Amino acid sequence: MNVELFDFALPPERIALRPAAPRDSARLLVLDGADTRDARVGDLPACLRKGDLLVFNDTRVIPAQLEGLRGAARIGATLHKREGPRRWRAFIRNAKRLREGDSVDFGEGVTATASDRAEDGSFALDFAGDAPVELLLERCGRMPLPPYIASKRPTDARDADDYQTMFASEPGAVAAPTAALHFTPQLLAALDAAGIGHATLTLHVGAGTFLPVKAEDTDAHKMHAEWGRIDAATADRLNAVRAAGGRVIAVGTTSLRLIESAAREDGIIAPFEGDTAIFITPGYRFRGIDGLVTNFHLPRSTLFMLVSALMGLERMQAAYAHAIATDYRFYSYGDASLLLP
């Protein structure tokens, strides 16, 4: 499909720079079949049905943005995928000043050697020493806010909490599964009381999620790979919910992409562990999920293509036009939508 079909004009003032407070007070645009209505995230227990199951991503964002020196040259690195115990693939700023074999000093006693430059300009960084890389990043890294926020304000101490979900327990993401940022213990208790359960899986979100689609046709776009896991007990639970007539509602496109990667043609969700580079565009037949809670996405992005595949392109174009006209807040710290095809 022509990528221009997924374009729309977004006023810059619609980009949220901070999350709603409290988190579950964020607005919620509900698309339920042919019905469209405005609500709040705190209204979710009334928007779903007893027996439904929400599936959250329990990945934890690591401080994956680093600033260092290669000699006198300033080098910026954004880690985006672990490739080994001490090796991370990283997008590099000022990459023309970095060569394979160079050592970069990130301060606080943290150094890494660059190797294996890829066609996209990224390098592998091998961190020196014996201390776990996660501890090294705590010393020298900072929270990797999305570029559309970081370009408007600096990262600060609030982001260390604001950019983690209440489910964050498995370190490895360089971007938050932002739909789950809206959830609070109080909302989860209200969902439980309404008979709406929840489960978790793990998908370590990579920085490639922010890369623009540069191809003119979706068939020419190469999707980034991310590592994920659904254990056998979780797969069994998701299958049991659907067998009993309940719906599996993914919270975030990361949860959705992993479930669809694990789902067989007959709709049975199998245990899964490994990389997925699934790219969902209109025409895709969903096998493992029955709905989605998600934020509002960038024009021409793979994520807007995904929601258009779920609900229909014309429907999502109209929904986004409504959201823009009625002052919904967009992107990572913005408002949410509930999509029930």
Side-chain angles (χ1 to χ4, degrees):
M1 297 182 71
N2 191 320
V3 172
E4 288 187 1
L5 294 172
F6 302 94
D7 201 6
F8 57 89
L10 181 71
E13 61 269 20
R14 297 271 58 77
I15 300 173
L17 300 183
R18 298 285 185 186
R23 294 189 184 203
D24 56 11
S25 68
R27 298 176 69 188
L28 181 72
L29 182 60
V30 180
L31 277 62
D32 189 351
D35 180 45
T36 301
R37 63 186 185 275
D38 300 300
R40 297 280 173 181
V41 171
D43 300 326
L44 267 173
C47 298
L48 299 173
R49 299 195 298 245
K50 183 178 181 179
D52 288 344
L53 183 76
L54 294 168
V55 185
F56 297 93
N57 185 356
D58 66 6
T59 190
R60 184 172 183 83
V61 183
I62 60 174
Q65 284 195 331
L66 312 176
E67 297 290 336
L69 293 172
R70 197 280 299 155
R74 291 191 174 276
I75 302 295
T78 300
L79 310 185
H80 73 93
K81 189 172 186 295
R82 182 189 286 277
E83 294 186 337
R86 307 199 65 75
R87 171 176 285 205
W88 277 80
R89 175 67 49 180
F91 295 120
I92 300 296
R93 192 178 70 254
N94 203 17
K96 65 180 182 295
R97 302 295 300 275
L98 190 65
R99 294 179 175 84
E100 294 183 354
D102 286 348
S103 179
V104 183
D105 183 351
F106 293 113
E108 302 296 331
V110 179
T111 62
T113 301
S115 64
D116 192 21
R117 181 168 184 162
E119 290 183 5
D120 61 6
S122 67
F123 283 84
L125 293 179
D126 292 289
F127 287 87
D130 298 319
V133 174
E134 288 78 10
L135 293 182
L136 299 182
L137 297 179
E138 291 290 342
R139 280 158 44 185
C140 70
R142 69 174 189 269
M143 191 63 72
L145 283 186
Y148 43 76
I149 296 176
S151 64
K152 295 177 181 295
R153 67 165 179 83
T155 303
D156 58 28
R158 284 180 55 185
D159 294 307
D161 291 321
D162 286 348
Y163 202 54
Q164 298 282 14
T165 75
M166 64 174 288
F167 306 95
S169 60
E170 298 291 332
V174 300
T178 54
L181 291 177
H182 301 294
F183 287 78
T184 63
Q186 293 79 12
L187 176 56
L188 211 61
L191 288 160
D192 287 341
I196 300 159
H198 69 277
T200 60
L201 45 72
T202 305
L203 183 83
H204 291 322
V205 192
T209 191
F210 301 122
L211 293 178
V213 178
K214 296 181 179 179
E216 294 182 1
D217 192 278
T218 55
D219 288 343
H221 177 68
K222 183 179 179 181
M223 195 72 173
H224 57 284
E226 296 166 318
W227 182 91
R229 179 180 59 231
I230 301 176
D231 63 31
T234 300
D236 288 345
R237 188 173 178 205
L238 270 57
N239 292 325
V241 164
R242 299 183 93 193
R247 298 176 297 183
V248 170
I249 312 293
V251 179
T253 56
T254 61
S255 294
L256 182 150
R257 292 177 63 243
L258 187 57
I259 294 170
E260 289 298 314
S261 298
R264 303 188 324 215
E265 283 294 326
D266 61 1
I268 297 297
I269 299 163
F272 182 98
E273 183 167 355
D275 285 351
T276 177
I278 189 171
F279 181 25
I280 296 174
T281 58
Y284 177 86
R285 183 177 68 84
F286 289 85
R287 302 187 297 266
I289 62 97
D290 306 293
L292 172 67
V293 177
T294 188
N295 286 13
F296 291 93
H297 304 295
L298 281 72
R300 301 170 68 98
S301 64
T302 61
L303 302 183
F304 186 61
M305 295 170 189
L306 184 155
V307 296
S308 297
L310 182 64
M311 302 300 295
L313 177 56
E314 290 186 6
R315 184 83 194 281
M316 290 313 301
Q317 287 171 330
Y320 272 49
H322 169 80
I324 292 168
T326 55
D327 296 338
Y328 275 75
R329 303 161 71 246
F330 273 61
Y331 303 167
S332 294
Y333 278 156
D335 295 318
S337 60
L338 171 62
L339 309 180
L340 299 170

